[in-house]
Amino acid sequence: MSKTSNYVSTTNACKLCTPLGASLAFRGVEGGIPFLHGSQGCATYMRRYIISHFRESIDIASSALGEKNAIYGGGPNLKKGILNVMIKYEPKVVGVATTCLTETIGDNVPMFLSEFKKEFSELPLPEIVQVSTPSYNGTHTDGWHGAVQAITEQLCLEKTSASDTVNILPNMVSCEDIRHLREICEDFEIASTILPDISETLDGITLEDYVKIPTGGTPLKDIKKMSGSKATIEFGRCLPEKTGGASLQERFKTPNYRIGLPIGLRESDVFFETLSKISGKKIPRRYKQQRGRLVDAFVDGHKYVFGKRAVVYGEEDLVTGLCSFLTEIGIDVILVGTGSKNKNLETHIKDITRDVATCVPEVHEGVDFFDIAARAEELKPDILIGHSKGYQYAKAWDIPLIRVGFPIHDRFGGQRTKHIGYEGTLSLLDRIINALLEKKQNDSPVGYGYL
């Protein structure tokens, strides 16, 4: 009899559902509707989670499987659900993501969709993109990357004429980060295809009438032309081997530049130098000035942050970028935690902090918040950096929490937090220093007004 390892349940998992990440990515495509093939509860939970962070309504369609479908299969519900979405929303793209239920019962979704296209070929069908996203196989970032890969592989099917366009696959960054990326490309006089583009679809304007599918998102015509682009830039040191950028390179020989999330001085330098190399243009003066201001702020703020101890947690590429930045300003990252597994995070953290950090961070992958908290409390951090789920621990330990990433449920404007580039780094630096100063003021019996 073979032995299997015991399953350990989680108290507060440091990750979110895989199809949630796919839903966010599909929302970043023009005219796109996320469609979950599973129970209604999955879509309801994810809508609530997403709305709380972005403060925007989001519709996620569902095949709404019940007990009967769990036995006999969900094919009929999937087909009927897509027809209903076509009638109600008139989408350009339907992004179908599987869930734990449909993966467990073994639904053959590609076959169902092939049958659907044949059965209803006389109708003006939308583009249908399908991705496998059982939550027991990954995290929300895996769902995001899987959806981006599926979009490029299933919508960009042939080599198009060469252009000077640059594809940017930005990873799970904020709406404000994506707007900043577009500004940077415009200043370099680069035509860009940013995939996905959630800058308007998840951070829109107030309208008098409800719009079923908000404007914005990566145009479908641009996605189909990504094969002819001059190059692709992918953000992330912890990316899986198979990605959208890797697919474009393999199928169409589109050069793929995989770089770290541009947080901090060094990683931002790599991004701007890569843009300069691809475009053949010098870095605009505006960004040289931003870099200079950031270096000046590093000098001015050094006395406030040097030697402070930080615990960092969240998405694997976000925490890698944050570690790079924090070591640059003299903060000792003592513990790094992520819900993702098998991303070689420890190696990436060592690579980005080597010769800069004064201590080697403990790196924990696939962890539960309860486990992180138990160890972190022993290490006595001065500050926590991550999303809202760390609040209860920051409160218990009476230390500041700098909220970054997703989700941010207990503060306003999480979707407009800028993390990347020299500007985003400077904003993070200001927030960290001010949080430490406020803590010092609050702890002082005098309450110094000059620090």
Side-chain angles (χ1 to χ4, degrees):
M1 183 176 178
S2 62
K3 293 184 178 181
T4 58
S5 59
N6 293 329
Y7 174 78
V8 180
S9 63
T10 57
T11 304
N12 186 5
C14 190
K15 66 173 187 173
L16 299 171
C17 283
T18 312
L20 186 152
S23 296
L24 289 172
F26 286 135
R27 182 71 167 192
V29 176
E30 181 186 42
I33 283 288
F35 188 109
L36 298 188
H37 183 38
S39 68
Q40 182 63 49
C42 290
T44 302
Y45 148 71
M46 291 177 201
R47 287 181 64 249
R48 175 68 185 87
Y49 229 87
I50 293 169
I51 290 169
S52 181
H53 175 89
F54 290 98
R55 315 287 173 166
E56 295 283 355
S57 61
I58 177 171
D59 289 347
I60 299 177
S62 171
S63 52
L65 304 189
E67 292 88 346
K68 178 181 176 181
N69 308 112
I71 298 172
Y72 296 105
N77 276 47
L78 175 61
K79 297 172 184 177
K80 185 177 180 181
I82 294 175
L83 286 174
N84 288 338
V85 166
M86 288 168 56
I87 294 169
K88 184 173 182 179
Y89 294 95
E90 299 180 351
K92 294 182 179 180
V93 179
V94 176
V96 179
T98 57
T99 61
C100 298
L101 172 60
T102 49
E103 292 281 352
T104 300
I105 65 176
D107 266 3
N108 190 336
V109 175
M111 182 186 73
F112 293 154
L113 294 178
S114 178
E115 293 174 350
F116 175 83
K117 292 174 183 178
K118 292 178 182 178
E119 292 170 14
F120 301 100
S121 59
E122 76 282 0
L123 298 178
L125 298 178
E127 298 282 359
I128 301 177
V129 178
Q130 185 269 326
V131 62
S132 174
T133 50
S135 280
Y136 49 72
N137 253 12
T139 70
H140 55 296
T141 56
D142 293 307
W144 173 284
H145 297 312
V148 173
Q149 180 191 356
I151 291 166
T152 57
E153 290 188 345
Q154 296 172 40
L155 296 182
C156 182
L157 300 175
E158 55 187 39
K159 182 70 173 180
T160 57
S161 56
S163 71
D164 288 332
T165 302
V166 175
N167 307 318
I168 298 183
L169 310 185
N171 212 310
M172 279 195 67
V173 296
S174 72
C175 301
E176 188 64 29
D177 285 329
I178 291 179
R179 286 189 285 267
H180 188 43
L181 280 174
R182 190 180 297 110
E183 290 174 352
I184 292 171
C185 289
E186 288 173 355
D187 287 337
F188 269 92
E189 299 179 352
I190 292 174
S192 61
T193 298
I194 300 175
L195 177 70
D197 182 354
I198 60 172
S199 62
E200 292 183 31
T201 57
L202 285 172
D203 190 25
I205 62 175
T206 298
L207 301 170
E208 290 186 6
D209 298 316
Y210 176 71
V211 177
K212 294 177 182 178
I213 301 180
T215 58
T218 311
L220 187 56
K221 62 179 180 61
D222 291 349
I223 296 173
K224 293 182 177 182
K225 294 179 181 178
M226 290 175 74
S227 58
S229 295
K230 196 171 187 178
T232 301
I233 300 176
E234 286 187 313
F235 289 163
R237 288 175 171 263
C238 304
L239 293 174
E241 183 179 348
K242 295 182 178 180
T243 61
S247 175
L248 291 171
Q249 185 173 46
E250 180 181 348
R251 292 184 295 139
F252 306 114
K253 310 303 180 186
T254 307
N256 186 36
Y257 294 83
R258 183 175 289 189
I259 64 176
L261 204 64
I263 299 176
L265 188 68
R266 293 169 297 153
E267 294 287 70
S268 294
D269 282 348
V270 172
F271 172 51
F272 282 98
E273 288 164 4
T274 302
L275 278 181
S276 179
K277 177 182 177 181
I278 293 171
S279 66
K281 296 180 173 65
K282 293 182 179 180
I283 297 173
R285 181 178 182 274
R286 174 181 179 181
Y287 300 104
K288 292 181 178 179
Q289 293 293 102
Q290 288 179 7
R291 187 185 191 280
R293 281 190 290 272
L294 178 61
V295 172
D296 182 65
F298 277 14
V299 175
D300 294 342
H302 188 258
K303 62 182 178 182
Y304 300 116
V305 296
F306 181 75
K308 297 296 184 183
R309 298 161 62 83
V311 168
V312 182
Y313 60 89
E315 293 90 2
E316 58 274 19
D317 279 311
L318 176 62
V319 299
T320 304
L322 288 170
C323 286
S324 173
F325 158 56
L326 293 171
T327 55
E328 290 172 351
I329 61 176
I331 289 182
D332 295 329
V333 180
I334 52 176
L335 186 147
V336 177
T338 183
S340 297
K341 296 180 181 179
N342 305 319
K343 298 298 170 64
N344 208 16
L345 182 61
E346 185 171 7
T347 298
H348 295 306
I349 295 291
K350 286 182 178 178
D351 287 344
I352 199 62
T353 59
R354 186 179 290 113
D355 301 326
V356 181
T358 57
C359 69
V360 178
E362 288 187 21
V363 179
H364 300 262
E365 290 189 70
V367 293
D368 181 280
F369 259 111
F370 183 81
D371 299 324
I372 296 176
R375 178 57 180 149
E377 188 172 14
E378 296 175 2
L379 296 174
K380 299 188 182 305
D382 298 299
I383 194 167
L384 284 181
I385 302 177
H387 49 69
S388 291
K389 280 192 169 186
Y391 169 68
Q392 60 178 304
Y393 304 111
K395 183 177 181 181
W397 303 334
D398 191 26
I399 61 175
L401 168 62
I402 303 299
R403 292 163 177 83
V404 295
F406 175 87
I408 297 176
H409 292 159
D410 61 340
R411 289 293 185 272
F412 189 75
Q415 76 277 33
R416 290 183 292 275
T417 300
K418 188 181 292 186
H419 306 81
I420 65 171
Y422 303 127
E423 274 196 350
T425 302
L426 184 56
S427 175
L428 286 174
L429 177 66
D430 289 344
R431 291 170 59 200
I432 290 169
I433 291 176
N434 286 332
L436 292 170
L437 290 178
E438 183 177 9
K439 165 69 174 167
K440 187 173 183 178
Q441 279 182 316
N442 292 340
D443 289 349
S444 170
V446 178
Y448 294 102
Y450 186 90
L451 292 169

